[in-house]
Amino acid sequence: MNSVLKKRTVMQTITKYLALVVLCVNVQLINAQDTIPAIKNEKNIKMLRHLKTVVEKEEKEFLKIEVEAINKRLDNGKITSEEAQKLKMKAAKLAALNIENRIGIIDNKIALFERNDYGLNRGGKETKLGVIIGGEEVLYVRENDDKRKKYDKRTSSDFVLAFGLNNAIVEGENLEDSPYKFGGSRFLELGWAWKTRVFKNSNFLRFKYGYSFQINGLKPDDNKYFVQQGNQTILQEFPENLKKSKLSITNLVFPVHFEFGPSKKVDKETYFRYSTRNQFKIGMGGYAGFNIGTRQKLKYKLNGEQIKDKQKRGFNTSNLVYGLSGYIAFDSVALYVKYDVSPIFKDQIIDQNNISLGVRFDVD
C-alpha cells in the first residue's frame, strides 16, 4: 500500500504543478493585455467543466493502480481471495466518494461564477478562478487596476558638490582685515545627502542629512606661512620669496538641514512622488564632525632650485568641528554659506573661525 500511496502522491503533485504552470502562463498573457479588464466567466466555467473530466479520469487511474497492487499481493500469497475482494471494494468506494466530493466542489465553483459577470470583487481584489487540483484548491487572484495601492517614496538621496571662497573671521577684527587672501583661499565639499519628507501629505518641509568631506584652504598674505610654537599657531615671514603658501584642513562632517519650499506632486498610475525640480528651496541647519588631516604646502626657489615643501602636521587645529550652514536654491543649484563655530586653531589667544561662501549642487 505504501508504494501505491507514493505513486498516488507523485501523480497528484505532477498534476497540480502542471495545472499551476498553465495558470501562470495564463496570468502572463492577461498582464500583457492591459486593455482587457478581466477574463470572462465563460472561459472560467469552460475550464472548470473540463477539470471535472480530469478529476474522474484521475480517480479511476488511482483505483486501477491500487487494484493492480492488491492482485499482486494476492498472487504472492500475502492475502487471501476474500481479503483481496474486501480491499478492492474499499478502494472502489473511496474512489467513488472522491469523485463525488471533488466534482461537487467544482460544481459549486461553476455556480459561483455563473452568478457573477467577471468573478468576485472583494476588497479591491478580483477572484478569477478557483479550482481543485490533486486535492488542493488553487485560487488565482488579481487586483483591480483602479484599486492598486500607490507606492510613496518619502526618502531620496543626492550627491552633494560645493565649492567657492574661503576665509577666516579673526576675533576682534572685521572680515576685510583678514590675514588671508580673498579669492586665493577656497573650499571644496563632497558628500552624500538623504532627504526625507517630514509630513505624510505635504512636501513643504523636508529633513536633509548625510555626510561630507570639507576641505578648507587658507592662503596667507604678505609672504607669510604657518608656524607651530607650542600650543600656539602663528603666521611668520618666510625667509625666501614664496610662490605659494597654503594651509589645507580636511574635515569629515555630518550635516543636518531642514529644507522647505514648494514642490510639485507627480501622480502616476501606481505611484506618486513630490518633485522640487525647477522650484525654489531654502535649507537651514548645521554640521558636526572631526578633523581628519591638516597640511601646509609651500613653493619657493632656493639657490635657483624649485622647492615644494609639504608639511603634514597638526598645527593645533581643532579635532572636533561644528558649525552652521544654509543655502538658497533653485532646482539643484544653490548659493551656499557655512560658518565654523568651532575655532580653526585650539587654545589660541585670539580665536579664528572659518567662513565659506560658494555654490552647491545637489544632484539627484
Side-chain angles (χ1 to χ4, degrees):
M1 291 294 290
N2 291 335
S3 62
V4 173
L5 291 174
K6 288 181 180 179
K7 288 181 180 179
R8 179 167 183 161
T9 301
V10 170
M11 290 190 67
Q12 287 178 332
T13 303
I14 293 173
T15 305
K16 177 172 64 178
Y17 283 107
L18 282 175
L20 285 175
V21 169
V22 172
L23 288 175
C24 289
V25 172
N26 194 29
V27 169
Q28 295 299 322
L29 291 175
I30 293 169
N31 289 337
Q33 299 175 11
D34 295 332
T35 58
I36 301 176
I39 303 174
K40 292 185 178 180
N41 276 357
E42 286 79 0
K43 294 183 180 180
N44 293 334
I45 293 170
K46 183 178 179 181
M47 183 179 291
L48 286 168
R49 285 174 177 165
H50 173 69
L51 283 171
K52 290 171 66 175
T53 305
V54 172
V55 165
E56 189 172 352
K57 288 182 179 179
E58 184 183 74
E59 289 296 336
K60 287 181 179 180
E61 185 64 28
F62 292 154
L63 177 59
K64 181 180 177 182
I65 294 171
E66 199 156 346
V67 169
E68 289 176 354
I70 294 170
N71 288 333
K72 189 174 182 180
R73 293 174 67 195
L74 177 61
D75 294 339
N76 293 333
K78 294 182 179 180
I79 58 174
T80 64
S81 297
E82 185 179 350
E83 288 174 333
Q85 188 61 28
K86 288 181 180 180
L87 290 173
K88 291 177 182 179
M89 292 290 291
K90 184 178 178 180
K93 185 177 179 181
L94 178 62
L97 287 173
N98 284 345
I99 292 173
E100 181 182 353
N101 292 339
R102 293 175 66 184
I103 289 180
I105 294 173
I106 295 175
D107 285 336
N108 287 336
K109 290 290 183 181
I110 292 174
L112 184 65
F113 279 110
E114 286 176 341
R115 290 194 299 269
N116 297 272
D117 291 335
Y118 286 92
L120 297 177
N121 195 322
R122 298 291 187 269
K125 292 185 177 180
E126 185 175 5
T127 304
K128 293 296 184 181
L129 185 60
V131 296
I132 304 300
I133 303 294
E136 296 183 19
E137 183 176 31
V138 179
L139 192 64
Y140 159 45
V141 179
R142 179 184 177 183
E143 291 186 359
N144 282 344
D145 292 342
D146 58 344
K147 292 190 177 181
R148 290 176 184 167
K149 184 178 179 181
K150 293 197 172 183
Y151 178 55
D152 174 20
K153 186 177 180 181
R154 295 183 66 171
T155 299
S156 59
S157 60
D158 312 306
F159 171 70
V160 176
L161 168 66
F163 55 86
L165 303 178
N166 194 65
N167 218 288
I169 296 178
V170 181
E171 184 180 2
E173 297 182 7
N174 296 322
L175 181 60
E176 60 185 18
D177 299 323
S178 169
Y180 309 112
K181 293 179 180 179
F182 289 95
S185 301
R186 303 183 184 93
F187 83 95
L188 173 67
E189 180 173 338
L190 297 170
W192 197 266
W194 288 266
K195 182 166 59 178
T196 300
R197 192 171 80 246
V198 174
F199 301 113
K200 182 178 180 180
N201 298 317
S202 171
N203 194 46
F204 184 76
L205 181 63
R206 286 88 68 180
F207 182 51
K208 198 157 189 175
Y209 50 94
Y211 63 89
S212 289
F213 292 94
Q214 294 178 349
I215 303 174
N216 299 320
L218 294 172
K219 287 186 176 181
D221 269 332
D222 303 326
N223 206 53
K224 291 183 179 180
Y225 73 117
F226 290 94
V227 178
Q228 183 176 335
Q229 295 181 346
N231 63 352
Q232 298 292 305
T233 300
I234 61 174
L235 288 172
Q236 283 188 356
E237 181 80 19
F238 195 71
E240 305 296 332
N241 185 26
L242 283 169
K243 287 190 174 183
K244 184 176 184 179
S245 174
K246 179 182 178 181
L247 184 72
S248 296
I249 303 170
T250 303
N251 300 323
L252 172 61
V253 298
F254 302 91
V256 174
H257 294 95
F258 281 101
E259 182 183 282
F260 54 93
S263 60
K264 181 180 179 181
K265 187 175 182 180
V266 180
D267 204 340
K268 298 293 184 180
E269 184 179 357
T270 57
Y271 70 91
F272 67 90
R273 299 284 187 274
Y274 287 94
S275 173
T276 57
R277 188 174 183 180
N278 296 326
Q279 302 288 334
F280 281 100
K281 46 195 169 185
I282 297 174
M284 300 176 64
Y287 51 90
F290 46 90
N291 174 275
I292 59 174
T294 303
R295 182 179 70 174
Q296 180 171 232
K297 187 174 183 180
L298 303 175
K299 285 185 180 181
Y300 56 93
K301 272 188 177 183
L302 183 63
N303 299 325
E305 183 182 354
Q306 295 281 356
I307 304 296
K308 294 182 182 180
D309 187 9
K310 296 180 181 179
Q311 303 171 350
K312 295 182 180 180
R313 301 172 187 169
F315 289 99
N316 291 321
T317 51
S318 295
N319 295 323
L320 297 177
V321 293
Y322 48 91
L324 302 173
S325 57
Y327 54 88
I328 300 175
F330 178 76
D331 198 6
S332 59
V333 183
L335 179 64
Y336 179 52
V337 61
K338 63 184 182 70
Y339 172 74
D340 284 3
V341 177
S342 56
I344 299 173
F345 306 104
K346 58 187 177 182
D347 302 324
Q348 293 287 104
I349 297 174
I350 299 176
D351 283 339
Q352 300 182 39
N353 298 84
N354 197 86
I355 187 169
S356 308
L357 176 66
V359 291
R360 171 181 169 132
F361 300 90
D362 289 47
V363 184
D364 293 336

